[in-house]
Amino acid sequence: MAFNPLTEKGIPIERQFRSWSELACQPYDTREVHPYTRCRVILMNGIEVEAIINSHNAARRIADTGVKQMLALVRKAEQQQQKAVNWLIPGSESTIANTIGYEQVAVDLTSWIARHEPDPYLNQVYEFGVLEDYDHLYRYANLMDLMGERRKAEEITGDLTEILPGRPTIFHHRHPHDELRRPMTVEASSFQSILNALTVVSAEQQTMNFYMNAGNRPEDPMARSLYLEIAMVEEQHVSHYESILDPTTPELLNLALHEYNECWLYWSCMVTETDPRIKQVWETHLAMELEHLRLACEMMKEVDGIDPATVFPAQGIEAPMTFEPNKQYVRDVLARTVYNSASDSQFVPVDQLPAGHRFFDYQATVNAGDVPSESVIRRHREEFGGEYRFATEGTHPIASLQESGTAEGTTYAQVVERHTENA
């Protein structure tokens, strides 16, 4: 079922602009929508936001008036696409319910990408990040109970994603230098690796943006504190993922790669969507993106002399990105890597970090006093007599996380405590 956007015909750009009523689509029913339909909406909103930001940044660095005009024209259409997608999310969906959706996207999208990543180092990059988003889902699910929501997190995620502790959030806080990874090169990388990286960067950036803007909306001080803590981790994740991109990519090639990625993802959404009405949105936007890609390729060839045939795979893309359960895969990643940390661009077990490593000083600084991600679990135990968890595949694969789900008693906590005391 290969898909080659270079051979497909799209909607001419002059026919892409829509009226306000066309853009203000009927939102999905927050209680009836399939969890992965919600995930697709959240993902494609983030993909469009990245397309728009990337276009604006390019316009600020390009002097050629013709290129700037093309960017402005396509960007206006992308803005309309973003509005149509984002307005599918109903106002009746609370911030915390929307948050659960964001973290389900992070878990199952990053898991799929890690499973389909041909580069061993990039696979490590994705597996490292997914355990942190997995833990965020668990912390927010407990917060959801505390906020008095009428439904449980599992009613949003369905039985598709387990809700259990990952690498505890308290240990996600690392020195910024240790968030930078080795970059790929476009010429030497698998094309799937390029698409994977562009997709995850967009998704994590949108999560960062969401928390930057919505994290202060709850009234409960504990909720505000948890959003603040995790929002800082999401900034780290953007640094973590964007650093694997090739920083030497020419501006117009970068634009064409973004457009190709959008085509692949809209095609993926279209062929996997179960809601006929929303499937039509994906189909329409795919037709628009095909034209955006054509324009970007024309400009890239005309201005920079880069032939699209030398960049994009002749056979197209073999398979769509799919939202699907990754329960056993995440459990396997937990069993193998839960105690990993980072030092420069490498991933190492926390007990192998040398004495005096900057990780321990940074931990001592930011975690001084109360830590919101730990407090929310402690408060849930106090008010409900236990934690909120949702497991369908048996007990937690990490013994120290089977009972309490906190930092206490874990290898991580023991190592950090020993080093901070010595410091």
Side-chain angles (χ1 to χ4, degrees):
M1 191 173 59
F3 168 67
N4 189 346
L6 296 178
T7 62
E8 300 284 339
K9 187 176 181 180
I11 299 173
I13 189 67
E14 63 271 11
R15 289 172 41 206
Q16 291 195 14
F17 299 111
R18 293 173 278 179
S19 68
W20 309 125
S21 59
E22 290 176 292
L23 291 177
C25 304
Q26 178 69 25
Y28 59 68
D29 184 328
T30 188
R31 293 189 174 275
E32 299 296 330
V33 66
H34 190 282
Y36 285 155
T37 294
R38 178 190 282 106
C39 286
R40 281 185 281 271
V41 170
I42 291 171
L43 170 63
M44 296 315 297
N45 184 34
I47 293 297
E48 289 294 355
V49 169
E50 163 63 15
I52 293 161
I53 292 174
N54 183 64
S55 176
H56 275 296
N57 286 335
R60 295 167 191 177
R61 294 188 294 263
I62 291 175
D64 188 302
T65 300
V67 175
K68 292 170 83 76
Q69 288 174 336
M70 184 272 288
L71 288 171
L73 189 64
V74 171
R75 189 167 62 242
K76 186 65 71 174
E78 303 257 37
Q79 278 281 5
Q80 287 203 336
Q81 288 175 291
Q82 187 271 332
K83 302 302 178 288
V85 174
N86 197 24
W87 263 244
L88 289 170
I89 301 172
S92 60
E93 188 162 275
S94 66
T95 297
I96 186 63
N98 204 200
T99 298
I100 297 297
Y102 266 84
E103 296 299 346
Q104 185 175 29
V105 170
V107 171
D108 284 327
L109 172 69
T110 312
S111 292
W112 186 93
I113 283 176
R115 288 168 42 220
H116 294 82
E117 176 50 59
D119 184 286
Y121 176 73
L122 296 178
N123 172 264
Q124 291 182 61
V125 170
Y126 298 129
E127 288 192 340
F128 187 77
V130 76
L131 292 194
E132 302 195 341
D133 288 315
Y134 192 65
D135 196 71
H136 298 168
L137 176 60
Y138 157 72
R139 308 286 162 171
Y140 281 126
N142 279 266
L143 176 64
M144 190 174 187
D145 265 3
L146 291 168
M147 293 176 71
E149 287 278 322
R150 295 181 179 178
R151 54 181 173 165
K152 301 287 187 181
E154 69 208 60
E155 296 177 57
I156 297 170
T157 60
D159 63 354
L160 305 169
T161 309
E162 291 190 298
I163 302 174
L164 294 168
R167 180 180 302 114
T169 296
I170 188 175
F171 303 125
H172 300 178
H173 314 303
R174 295 173 291 273
H175 190 280
H177 289 180
D178 297 317
E179 298 307 316
L180 304 181
R181 311 296 166 229
R182 296 201 310 262
M184 67 172 72
T185 58
V186 167
E187 293 82 359
S189 297
S190 159
F191 198 73
Q192 186 64 56
S193 294
I194 297 170
L195 297 180
N196 288 346
L198 289 172
T199 299
V200 173
V201 169
S202 301
E204 290 290 335
Q205 175 181 256
Q206 182 60 16
T207 305
M208 177 187 74
N209 292 342
F210 177 63
Y211 295 157
M212 286 172 71
N213 288 282
N216 65 350
R217 303 317 299 155
E219 295 184 20
D220 185 332
M222 178 167 290
R224 293 169 66 87
S225 295
L226 182 64
Y227 272 99
L228 184 153
E229 181 187 1
I230 293 180
M232 292 299 296
V233 180
E234 294 302 336
E235 191 280 331
Q236 290 181 186
H237 284 182
V238 177
S239 297
H240 168 78
Y241 290 122
E242 71 186 7
S243 61
I244 65 176
L245 298 174
D246 184 347
T248 67
T249 307
E251 200 73 69
L252 293 178
L253 173 56
N254 183 50
L255 176 69
L257 290 171
H258 273 75
E259 298 295 358
Y260 195 106
N261 191 51
E262 287 184 84
C263 289
W264 173 58
L265 289 173
Y266 272 124
W267 171 69
S268 299
C269 290
M270 183 184 72
V271 299
T272 58
E273 182 57 68
T274 58
D275 185 312
R277 183 177 64 85
I278 295 180
K279 182 174 183 175
Q280 183 61 53
V281 175
W282 308 143
E283 185 175 359
T284 299
H285 287 191
L286 170 58
M288 293 178 173
E289 292 299 342
L290 292 170
E291 173 74 351
H292 300 171
L293 175 61
R294 185 188 70 80
L295 292 170
C297 286
E298 280 189 357
M299 196 66 68
M300 176 179 70
K301 189 171 185 178
E302 177 185 331
V303 176
D304 291 340
I306 301 175
D307 186 346
T310 66
V311 176
F312 302 112
Q315 74 280 9
I317 300 298
E318 291 296 326
M321 186 286 296
T322 62
F323 280 104
E324 59 193 44
N326 293 278
K327 300 174 190 178
Q328 290 298 338
Y329 177 76
V330 173
R331 283 170 170 263
D332 175 62
V333 177
L334 276 164
R336 289 187 286 108
T337 69
V338 71
Y339 295 125
N340 278 1
S341 187
S343 182
D344 293 320
S345 62
Q346 298 300 312
F347 306 106
V348 295
V350 67
D351 60 0
Q352 293 183 19
L353 292 177
H357 192 278
R358 55 187 170 240
F359 171 75
F360 303 109
D361 286 339
Y362 194 78
Q363 281 275 301
T365 298
V366 299
N367 290 329
D370 198 33
V371 180
S373 56
E374 292 295 300
S375 297
V376 72
I377 302 302
R378 184 168 60 249
R379 180 170 154 188
H380 196 283
R381 291 199 202 101
E382 292 169 355
E383 295 192 15
F384 292 90
E387 304 168 27
Y388 173 81
R389 297 185 179 207
F390 179 71
T392 63
E393 310 301 306
T395 58
H396 199 290
I398 305 300
S400 61
L401 297 177
Q402 288 175 5
E403 295 292 334
S404 68
T406 71
E408 297 173 6
T410 68
T411 299
Y412 238 117
Q414 294 164 352
V415 171
V416 172
E417 183 178 5
R418 182 171 68 250
H419 281 267
T420 52
E421 284 179 350
N422 290 339

